[in-house]
Amino acid sequence: MQAKSALITGITGQDGSYLAELLLGKNYAVHGVVRRASGPNTSRIDHLIGDESLADRFHIHHGDLADANSLRHLIDRTQPDEIYNLGAQSHVRVSFDQPEYTVDVTGTAVIRLLEAIRSAMEHGSKPIRFYQAGSSEMFGSAKPPQNEQTRFEPRSPYACAKVYAHYQVVNYRESYGLFAANGILFNHESPRRGETFVTKKITKAAARIKLGLQEKLTLGNLDARRDWGFAGDYVEAMWRMLQHEEPDDFVIATGESISIRDFLSIVFDHLDLDWERYVDTDPRFYRPAEVDYLLGDATKARDSLGWQPQHDIRSLAKMMVEHDLKHEARLARAGS
Ligand code: NAP
Ligand code: GDD
């Protein structure tokens, strides 16, 4: 059987890098969309770009979710079997400062992709399956636990954009019979997590405090609760959704939710430190509206996709902080 081909938006992000590794391991040809930046933005996939054994199966293309033509051309050129839309302005706090941009890139861009797929298929391309990176943020203030039946009550421009994208995917599925699936993923983290998300901010700071490189960590609301899983487990769920016989929507979560305070305690305890001595708070890091309590129920994914997470919050926190300890020590040695 001929190997499949996948097009990934957001390949330079946390999830894009893990998904590319997963698909390359399954012998896919992988095409990644990279937007033009004034500095290098490929650090999470440089090991794939530099791997000569992948040269005929791993390809990077310039494109932008704000630019419909670039997306259409990319679909024409790469002829994918599967498209994973992971690209987004993905920071909830930033979405309050840049609502219009966030809605464009995180919400409207999904229409650009769905229309490009519809048009390609009308003009005789092979069938293309589409994955949309939906978010537990869409549940917002809905009472936990949240599953596929829970009503969306979004609390940020980012969440509103994701809700819009979610319903467009459902709409294209129903109107045109596209194989389009929504993953409703709860927070997932890793050593590759962006540095302004709270878990990474904490593990990096704790490692630096342990090494004597930093004295304080300043955060926002410590009482919010999140259902945190490992990104490597979650990209496996994305792939399974596109191998399923029918396109559908799935919640992906661990089923355990803890507060930022609890996460601080797990991380600092691991380093034999008392977090309360080092952490302070500043309203600067609060949001105009907060999502207080996310806890996912992934029963449907377990039963229909056979998916379950391999990591829990404790093994994830340990993985992240051990990584940051080594990384920060290496940087300090290189700088001295
Ligand atoms: P991430 O690390 O922030 O990566 C976002 C990606 O989107 C980056 O590759 C970024 O490129 C790209 N991007 C941003 N604007 C773009 C544009 N205009 N055109 C093309 N690409 C653009 O996010 P992530 O954590 O991997 O999350 C992946 C997806 O899942 C996102 O859609 C996110 O909203 C969603 N999601 C994430 C979580 C989570 O907990 N991680 C949970 C639910 C849903 P640059 O490298 O150039 O910035
Ligand atoms: N980022 C950040 N920085 N968050 C903080 C801080 C801080 O200094 N202090 C407290 N928090 C709180 C936030 O108020 C929020 O309640 C929680 O920590 C988690 O914040 P983030 O790590 O920024 O993640 P998020 O839950 O807002 O959004 C992430 O998960 C969503 C899925 O639920 C992102 O990855 C989204 O893209 C994703 O959709």
Side-chain angles (χ1 to χ4, degrees), residues 118-194:
R118 188 165 80 89
S119 160
M121 284 173 55
E122 275 176 9
H123 290 89
S125 90
K126 60 186 166 184
I128 300 170
R129 296 188 168 201
F130 181 74
Y131 172 83
Q132 165 58 15
S135 165
S136 53
E137 271 295 300
M138 299 189 295
F139 293 125
S141 47
K143 196 166 154 276
Q146 294 101 358
N147 66 19
E148 295 80 3
Q149 309 307 322
T150 306
R151 205 168 74 107
F152 295 141
E153 298 179 24
R155 303 262 291 162
S156 64
Y158 168 82
C160 292
K162 286 287 186 187
V163 170
Y164 169 85
H166 176 95
Y167 284 121
Q168 291 294 4
V169 166
V170 174
N171 186 240
Y172 273 64
R173 198 159 71 204
E174 292 175 355
S175 303
Y176 305 114
L178 288 192
F179 191 112
N182 284 301
I184 308 175
L185 273 54
F186 282 63
N187 298 50
H188 45 279
E189 321 292 308
S190 74
R192 298 181 195 169
R193 185 59 144 150

Coordinates of all heavy atoms in Angstrom, one line a residue, residues 118-194:
R118 N -12.7 21.5 0.0 CA -13.9 21.3 -0.8 C -13.6 21.5 -2.3 O -14.0 20.7 -3.1 CB -15.0 22.2 -0.3 CG -16.3 22.0 -0.9 CD -17.4 22.7 -0.1 NE -17.5 24.1 -0.5 CZ -18.3 24.6 -1.4 NH1 -19.0 23.8 -2.2 NH2 -18.3 25.9 -1.7
S119 N -12.9 22.6 -2.6 CA -12.6 23.0 -4.0 C -11.7 21.9 -4.6 O -11.9 21.5 -5.7 CB -12.0 24.4 -4.0 OG -11.3 24.6 -5.1
A120 N -10.7 21.5 -3.8 CA -9.7 20.5 -4.4 C -10.5 19.2 -4.7 O -10.3 18.6 -5.8 CB -8.6 20.2 -3.4
M121 N -11.4 18.8 -3.8 CA -12.1 17.5 -4.0 C -13.1 17.7 -5.2 O -13.3 16.7 -6.0 CB -12.7 17.1 -2.7 CG -11.6 16.5 -1.8 SD -12.2 16.0 -0.1 CE -13.5 14.9 -0.5
E122 N -13.7 18.8 -5.3 CA -14.6 19.1 -6.5 C -13.9 19.0 -7.8 O -14.4 18.7 -8.8 CB -15.3 20.4 -6.3 CG -16.5 20.3 -5.5 CD -17.2 21.7 -5.2 OE1 -16.8 22.7 -5.9 OE2 -18.1 21.7 -4.4
H123 N -12.6 19.3 -7.7 CA -11.7 19.3 -9.0 C -11.0 18.0 -9.1 O -10.0 18.0 -9.8 CB -10.8 20.5 -9.0 CG -11.6 21.8 -9.3 ND1 -12.1 22.6 -8.2 CD2 -12.0 22.4 -10.4 CE1 -12.8 23.6 -8.8 NE2 -12.7 23.5 -10.1
G124 N -11.4 17.0 -8.4 CA -10.9 15.7 -8.7 C -9.7 15.2 -7.8 O -9.1 14.2 -8.1
S125 N -9.4 15.9 -6.7 CA -8.3 15.4 -5.8 C -8.8 14.2 -5.1 O -10.0 13.9 -5.0 CB -7.9 16.5 -4.8 OG -8.7 16.4 -3.6
K126 N -7.9 13.4 -4.6 CA -8.3 12.3 -3.7 C -9.0 12.8 -2.5 O -8.9 14.0 -2.1 CB -7.1 11.4 -3.4 CG -6.0 12.2 -2.6 CD -4.8 11.2 -2.5 CE -3.6 12.0 -2.0 NZ -2.3 11.3 -1.9
P127 N -9.7 11.9 -1.8 CA -10.4 12.4 -0.6 C -9.4 12.9 0.5 O -8.3 12.3 0.6 CB -11.1 11.1 -0.1 CG -11.1 10.1 -1.2 CD -10.0 10.5 -2.1
I128 N -9.7 14.0 1.1 CA -8.8 14.5 2.1 C -9.6 14.5 3.5 O -10.7 15.0 3.6 CB -8.4 16.0 1.8 CG1 -7.7 16.0 0.4 CG2 -7.6 16.6 2.9 CD1 -7.5 17.5 -0.1
R129 N -8.9 14.0 4.5 CA -9.5 14.0 5.8 C -8.9 15.2 6.6 O -7.7 15.5 6.5 CB -9.2 12.7 6.5 CG -9.9 11.5 5.9 CD -9.8 10.2 6.6 NE -10.7 9.2 6.1 CZ -11.1 8.1 6.7 NH1 -10.8 7.9 7.9 NH2 -12.0 7.3 6.1
F130 N -9.7 15.8 7.4 CA -9.4 17.1 8.1 C -9.5 16.9 9.6 O -10.6 16.5 10.1 CB -10.2 18.2 7.6 CG -9.9 19.5 8.2 CD1 -8.8 20.2 7.8 CD2 -10.8 20.1 9.1 CE1 -8.5 21.5 8.3 CE2 -10.5 21.4 9.7 CZ -9.4 22.1 9.3
Y131 N -8.5 17.3 10.3 CA -8.5 17.4 11.8 C -8.4 18.8 12.2 O -7.6 19.6 11.8 CB -7.3 16.6 12.4 CG -7.2 16.8 13.9 CD1 -8.0 16.0 14.7 CD2 -6.4 17.8 14.4 CE1 -8.0 16.2 16.1 CE2 -6.4 18.0 15.8 CZ -7.2 17.2 16.6 OH -7.1 17.5 18.0
Q132 N -9.4 19.2 13.1 CA -9.4 20.6 13.7 C -9.0 20.5 15.2 O -9.6 19.8 15.9 CB -10.7 21.2 13.5 CG -11.0 22.5 14.4 CD -9.9 23.6 14.1 OE1 -9.2 23.6 13.2 NE2 -9.9 24.5 15.1
A133 N -8.0 21.3 15.5 CA -7.5 21.3 16.9 C -8.4 22.2 17.8 O -8.2 23.4 18.0 CB -6.1 21.9 17.0
G134 N -9.5 21.6 18.3 CA -10.4 22.3 19.2 C -9.8 22.2 20.6 O -8.8 21.5 20.9
S135 N -10.5 22.9 21.5 CA -9.9 23.1 22.8 C -10.9 23.0 23.9 O -12.1 23.5 23.8 CB -9.3 24.5 22.8 OG -9.0 24.9 24.2
S136 N -10.5 22.6 25.1 CA -11.3 22.6 26.3 C -11.7 24.0 26.7 O -12.7 24.2 27.5 CB -10.7 21.8 27.4 OG -9.4 22.3 27.7
E137 N -10.9 25.0 26.3 CA -11.3 26.4 26.6 C -12.7 26.7 26.1 O -13.4 27.6 26.6 CB -10.3 27.3 25.9 CG -9.1 27.7 26.6 CD -9.4 28.5 27.9 OE1 -10.0 29.6 27.8 OE2 -9.0 28.1 29.0
M138 N -13.2 26.0 25.1 CA -14.5 26.2 24.5 C -15.6 26.0 25.6 O -16.6 26.6 25.6 CB -14.8 25.3 23.3 CG -13.8 25.5 22.2 SD -14.3 24.7 20.7 CE -14.1 22.9 21.1
F139 N -15.3 25.1 26.6 CA -16.3 24.8 27.7 C -16.3 26.0 28.6 O -17.4 26.2 29.3 CB -15.9 23.6 28.4 CG -16.0 22.3 27.6 CD1 -14.9 21.4 27.4 CD2 -17.2 22.0 26.9 CE1 -15.0 20.3 26.6 CE2 -17.3 20.9 26.1 CZ -16.2 20.0 26.0
G140 N -15.3 26.7 28.8 CA -15.3 28.0 29.6 C -15.8 27.7 31.0 O -15.2 27.0 31.8
S141 N -17.0 28.3 31.2 CA -17.5 28.3 32.6 C -18.5 27.1 32.8 O -19.2 27.0 33.8 CB -18.2 29.6 32.9 OG -19.0 30.0 31.9
A142 N -18.6 26.2 31.8 CA -19.5 25.0 32.0 C -19.0 24.1 33.1 O -17.8 23.9 33.3 CB -19.5 24.2 30.7
K143 N -20.0 23.6 33.8 CA -19.7 22.8 35.0 C -18.9 21.6 34.7 O -19.3 20.9 33.8 CB -21.1 22.5 35.7 CG -21.0 22.0 37.1 CD -22.5 22.0 37.7 CE -22.6 21.0 38.8 NZ -22.9 19.7 38.4
P144 N -17.9 21.2 35.4 CA -17.2 20.0 35.2 C -17.9 18.8 35.8 O -18.7 19.0 36.7 CB -15.8 20.2 35.9 CG -16.2 21.2 37.0 CD -17.3 22.1 36.5
P145 N -17.6 17.5 35.3 CA -16.7 17.2 34.2 C -17.4 17.5 32.9 O -18.6 17.5 32.7 CB -16.5 15.7 34.4 CG -17.8 15.2 35.0 CD -18.2 16.3 35.9
Q146 N -16.5 17.8 31.9 CA -17.0 18.2 30.5 C -16.8 17.1 29.5 O -15.7 16.5 29.5 CB -16.3 19.5 30.1 CG -16.6 20.7 30.9 CD -15.5 21.1 31.9 OE1 -14.5 20.4 32.0 NE2 -15.6 22.2 32.6
N147 N -17.8 16.8 28.7 CA -17.6 15.8 27.6 C -18.3 16.4 26.4 O -18.6 17.5 26.3 CB -18.2 14.5 28.0 CG -19.7 14.5 28.2 OD1 -20.4 15.4 27.7 ND2 -20.3 13.5 28.9
E148 N -18.4 15.5 25.4 CA -18.9 16.0 24.0 C -20.3 16.6 24.1 O -20.7 17.3 23.2 CB -18.9 14.8 23.0 CG -17.5 14.3 22.7 CD -17.0 13.3 23.7 OE1 -17.7 13.0 24.7 OE2 -15.8 12.9 23.5
Q149 N -21.1 16.2 25.2 CA -22.5 16.7 25.3 C -22.5 18.1 26.0 O -23.6 18.7 26.1 CB -23.3 15.7 26.1 CG -23.3 14.3 25.6 CD -23.6 14.3 24.1 OE1 -24.4 15.0 23.6 NE2 -22.8 13.4 23.4
T150 N -21.4 18.5 26.6 CA -21.4 19.7 27.4 C -21.5 20.9 26.5 O -20.9 21.0 25.5 CB -20.1 19.8 28.3 OG1 -20.0 18.6 29.0 CG2 -20.1 21.0 29.2
R151 N -22.4 21.9 27.0 CA -22.6 23.1 26.3 C -21.3 24.0 26.3 O -20.7 24.1 27.4 CB -23.7 23.9 26.9 CG -24.4 24.9 26.0 CD -25.7 25.3 26.6 NE -25.4 26.3 27.7 CZ -25.7 27.6 27.6 NH1 -26.2 28.1 26.6 NH2 -25.4 28.4 28.6
F152 N -21.0 24.6 25.2 CA -19.8 25.6 25.2 C -20.2 26.9 25.8 O -21.3 27.4 25.5 CB -19.3 25.8 23.7 CG -18.8 24.6 23.0 CD1 -19.1 24.4 21.7 CD2 -18.0 23.7 23.7 CE1 -18.6 23.3 21.0 CE2 -17.5 22.6 23.0 CZ -17.8 22.4 21.7
E153 N -19.4 27.4 26.7 CA -19.6 28.7 27.4 C -18.3 29.4 27.4 O -17.6 29.6 28.4 CB -20.1 28.5 28.8 CG -21.4 27.7 28.9 CD -21.9 27.5 30.3 OE1 -21.5 28.3 31.2 OE2 -22.7 26.6 30.6
P154 N -17.8 29.8 26.2 CA -16.5 30.4 26.0 C -16.3 31.7 26.8 O -17.2 32.5 26.9 CB -16.3 30.6 24.5 CG -17.7 30.7 24.0 CD -18.6 29.8 24.9
R155 N -15.0 31.9 27.3 CA -14.7 33.1 28.1 C -13.6 33.9 27.6 O -13.0 34.7 28.4 CB -14.4 32.6 29.5 CG -15.4 31.7 30.2 CD -16.3 32.5 31.1 NE -15.5 32.9 32.3 CZ -16.0 33.8 33.1 NH1 -17.1 34.5 32.9 NH2 -15.3 34.2 34.2
S156 N -13.2 33.8 26.3 CA -12.1 34.6 25.8 C -12.3 34.7 24.3 O -12.9 33.8 23.7 CB -10.8 34.0 26.1 OG -10.7 32.7 25.4
P157 N -11.6 35.7 23.7 CA -11.7 35.7 22.2 C -11.1 34.5 21.6 O -11.6 34.0 20.6 CB -10.8 36.9 21.9 CG -10.9 37.8 23.1 CD -11.0 36.9 24.2
Y158 N -10.1 33.9 22.2 CA -9.5 32.6 21.7 C -10.6 31.5 21.7 O -10.8 30.8 20.7 CB -8.3 32.2 22.6 CG -7.9 30.8 22.4 CD1 -7.0 30.5 21.3 CD2 -8.2 29.8 23.2 CE1 -6.6 29.2 21.1 CE2 -7.8 28.5 23.0 CZ -7.0 28.2 22.0 OH -6.5 26.9 21.8
A159 N -11.3 31.4 22.8 CA -12.3 30.3 23.0 C -13.4 30.6 22.0 O -14.0 29.6 21.4 CB -12.8 30.3 24.4
C160 N -13.9 31.8 21.8 CA -14.9 32.1 20.9 C -14.5 31.7 19.4 O -15.3 31.1 18.7 CB -15.3 33.6 20.9 SG -16.1 34.1 22.4
A161 N -13.2 32.0 19.1 CA -12.7 31.6 17.8 C -12.8 30.1 17.6 O -13.1 29.6 16.5 CB -11.3 32.2 17.6
K162 N -12.4 29.4 18.6 CA -12.3 27.9 18.5 C -13.8 27.3 18.4 O -14.0 26.3 17.8 CB -11.6 27.3 19.8 CG -10.1 27.5 19.8 CD -9.4 26.6 18.7 CE -7.9 26.6 18.8 NZ -7.2 25.9 17.8
V163 N -14.7 28.0 19.1 CA -16.1 27.5 19.0 C -16.6 27.7 17.6 O -17.3 26.8 17.0 CB -17.0 28.3 20.0 CG1 -18.5 27.9 19.8 CG2 -16.7 27.9 21.5
Y164 N -16.3 28.9 17.0 CA -16.7 29.1 15.6 C -16.1 28.1 14.7 O -16.8 27.5 13.9 CB -16.1 30.5 15.2 CG -16.2 30.8 13.8 CD1 -17.4 31.4 13.2 CD2 -15.1 30.6 12.9 CE1 -17.5 31.7 11.8 CE2 -15.2 30.9 11.6 CZ -16.4 31.4 11.0 OH -16.4 31.7 9.7
A165 N -14.8 27.8 14.9 CA -14.2 26.8 14.0 C -14.8 25.4 14.2 O -15.1 24.7 13.3 CB -12.7 26.7 14.4
H166 N -15.1 25.1 15.5 CA -15.8 23.8 15.8 C -17.1 23.6 15.0 O -17.3 22.6 14.3 CB -16.1 23.7 17.3 CG -16.8 22.5 17.7 ND1 -16.2 21.3 18.1 CD2 -18.1 22.1 17.6 CE1 -17.0 20.4 18.4 NE2 -18.3 20.9 18.1
Y167 N -17.9 24.6 15.0 CA -19.2 24.5 14.3 C -19.1 24.5 12.8 O -19.9 23.9 12.1 CB -20.2 25.5 14.8 CG -20.7 25.2 16.2 CD1 -20.6 26.0 17.3 CD2 -21.4 23.9 16.4 CE1 -21.1 25.6 18.6 CE2 -21.9 23.6 17.7 CZ -21.7 24.4 18.7 OH -22.2 24.0 20.0
Q168 N -18.1 25.2 12.3 CA -17.8 25.2 10.8 C -17.4 23.8 10.4 O -17.9 23.3 9.4 CB -16.8 26.2 10.4 CG -17.2 27.6 10.5 CD -18.3 28.0 9.6 OE1 -18.9 27.2 8.9 NE2 -18.7 29.3 9.6
V169 N -16.6 23.1 11.2 CA -16.2 21.7 10.9 C -17.5 20.8 10.9 O -17.7 20.0 9.9 CB -15.2 21.2 11.9 CG1 -15.0 19.7 11.8 CG2 -13.9 21.9 11.7
V170 N -18.3 21.0 11.9 CA -19.6 20.2 11.9 C -20.4 20.5 10.7 O -21.0 19.6 10.0 CB -20.4 20.5 13.2 CG1 -21.7 19.8 13.2 CG2 -19.6 20.0 14.4
N171 N -20.5 21.8 10.3 CA -21.3 22.2 9.2 C -20.8 21.7 7.9 O -21.6 21.3 7.0 CB -21.3 23.8 9.2 CG -22.2 24.3 8.2 OD1 -21.8 25.1 7.3 ND2 -23.5 24.0 8.2
Y172 N -19.5 21.7 7.7 CA -18.9 21.2 6.4 C -19.1 19.6 6.3 O -19.3 19.1 5.2 CB -17.5 21.5 6.2 CG -17.3 22.9 5.6 CD1 -17.8 24.0 6.2 CD2 -16.8 23.0 4.3 CE1 -17.7 25.3 5.6 CE2 -16.7 24.3 3.7 CZ -17.2 25.4 4.3 OH -17.1 26.6 3.7
R173 N -19.1 19.0 7.5 CA -19.3 17.6 7.5 C -20.7 17.3 7.1 O -21.0 16.4 6.2 CB -19.1 17.1 9.0 CG -18.9 15.7 9.2 CD -18.2 15.4 10.5 NE -19.0 15.7 11.7 CZ -18.6 16.0 12.9 NH1 -17.3 16.2 13.1 NH2 -19.4 16.2 13.9
E174 N -21.7 18.0 7.7 CA -23.1 17.8 7.4 C -23.5 18.3 6.0 O -24.3 17.6 5.3 CB -24.0 18.4 8.4 CG -23.8 17.8 9.8 CD -24.5 18.5 10.9 OE1 -25.1 19.6 10.7 OE2 -24.5 18.0 12.0
S175 N -22.9 19.4 5.5 CA -23.4 20.0 4.3 C -22.7 19.3 3.1 O -23.4 19.1 2.0 CB -23.0 21.5 4.2 OG -23.6 22.1 5.3
Y176 N -21.5 18.9 3.2 CA -20.7 18.5 2.0 C -20.2 17.0 2.2 O -19.5 16.5 1.3 CB -19.5 19.4 1.7 CG -20.0 20.8 1.5 CD1 -19.6 21.8 2.4 CD2 -20.8 21.2 0.4 CE1 -20.0 23.1 2.2 CE2 -21.2 22.5 0.3 CZ -20.8 23.5 1.2 OH -21.2 24.8 1.0
G177 N -20.4 16.5 3.3 CA -19.9 15.1 3.6 C -18.4 15.0 3.7 O -17.8 13.9 3.6
L178 N -17.8 16.1 4.1 CA -16.3 16.1 4.3 C -16.0 15.2 5.5 O -16.7 15.2 6.5 CB -15.7 17.4 4.5 CG -15.6 18.4 3.4 CD1 -14.8 19.6 3.8 CD2 -15.1 17.8 2.2
F179 N -14.9 14.5 5.4 CA -14.4 13.8 6.6 C -13.6 14.8 7.4 O -12.5 15.1 7.2 CB -13.5 12.6 6.2 CG -13.2 11.7 7.4 CD1 -13.7 10.4 7.5 CD2 -12.5 12.2 8.5 CE1 -13.5 9.6 8.6 CE2 -12.2 11.4 9.6 CZ -12.7 10.1 9.6
A180 N -14.3 15.4 8.4 CA -13.7 16.5 9.2 C -14.0 16.2 10.6 O -15.2 16.0 11.0 CB -14.3 17.9 8.8
A181 N -13.0 16.1 11.5 CA -13.1 15.8 12.9 C -12.7 16.9 13.8 O -11.7 17.5 13.5 CB -12.3 14.5 13.1
N182 N -13.4 17.1 14.9 CA -13.0 18.0 15.9 C -12.4 17.3 17.1 O -13.1 16.5 17.7 CB -14.2 18.8 16.4 CG -14.7 19.9 15.5 OD1 -13.9 20.8 15.1 ND2 -15.9 19.8 15.1
G183 N -11.1 17.5 17.4 CA -10.6 17.1 18.7 C -10.8 18.2 19.7 O -10.5 19.3 19.5
I184 N -11.4 17.8 20.8 CA -11.6 18.8 21.9 C -10.6 18.5 23.0 O -10.9 17.7 23.9 CB -13.1 18.8 22.4 CG1 -14.1 18.9 21.3 CG2 -13.3 19.9 23.5 CD1 -15.5 18.8 21.7
L185 N -9.4 19.0 22.8 CA -8.3 18.6 23.7 C -8.2 19.5 24.9 O -8.2 20.7 24.8 CB -7.0 18.6 22.9 CG -6.7 17.3 22.1 CD1 -7.9 16.9 21.2 CD2 -5.4 17.4 21.4
F186 N -8.1 18.8 26.1 CA -7.8 19.5 27.3 C -6.3 19.8 27.3 O -5.5 19.4 26.4 CB -8.2 18.7 28.5 CG -9.7 18.8 28.7 CD1 -10.6 18.3 27.8 CD2 -10.2 19.3 29.9 CE1 -12.0 18.4 27.9 CE2 -11.6 19.5 30.1 CZ -12.5 19.0 29.1
N187 N -5.9 20.7 28.3 CA -4.5 21.2 28.2 C -3.5 20.0 28.2 O -3.6 19.0 28.9 CB -4.2 21.9 29.5 CG -5.0 23.2 29.7 OD1 -6.2 23.1 29.6 ND2 -4.4 24.3 30.0
H188 N -2.5 20.2 27.3 CA -1.4 19.2 27.2 C -0.1 19.9 27.1 O 0.0 20.9 26.4 CB -1.7 18.1 26.1 CG -2.1 18.7 24.8 ND1 -3.4 19.1 24.6 CD2 -1.4 19.0 23.7 CE1 -3.5 19.6 23.4 NE2 -2.3 19.6 22.8
E189 N 0.9 19.3 27.7 CA 2.1 20.0 28.0 C 3.3 19.0 27.7 O 3.1 17.8 27.4 CB 2.2 20.3 29.5 CG 0.9 20.9 30.1 CD 0.5 22.2 29.6 OE1 1.3 23.1 29.6 OE2 -0.7 22.3 29.1
S190 N 4.5 19.5 27.7 CA 5.7 18.7 27.5 C 6.9 19.5 27.7 O 6.8 20.8 27.9 CB 5.7 18.2 26.0 OG 6.0 19.3 25.2
P191 N 8.1 19.0 27.6 CA 9.3 19.8 27.6 C 9.3 20.8 26.5 O 10.0 21.8 26.6 CB 10.4 18.8 27.5 CG 9.9 17.5 28.0 CD 8.4 17.5 27.6
R192 N 8.6 20.6 25.4 CA 8.6 21.5 24.3 C 7.5 22.6 24.4 O 7.2 23.4 23.5 CB 8.3 20.8 23.0 CG 9.4 19.8 22.7 CD 9.1 19.1 21.4 NE 10.0 17.9 21.2 CZ 9.8 16.9 20.3 NH1 8.8 17.1 19.4 NH2 10.6 15.9 20.3
R193 N 6.8 22.7 25.5 CA 5.7 23.6 25.7 C 6.3 25.1 25.6 O 7.4 25.3 26.1 CB 5.1 23.4 27.1 CG 3.9 24.3 27.4 CD 2.8 24.1 26.5 NE 1.5 24.1 27.1 CZ 0.4 24.6 26.4 NH1 0.5 25.0 25.2 NH2 -0.8 24.5 27.0
G194 N 5.5 26.0 25.0 CA 5.9 27.4 24.9 C 6.1 28.0 26.3 O 5.4 27.6 27.3

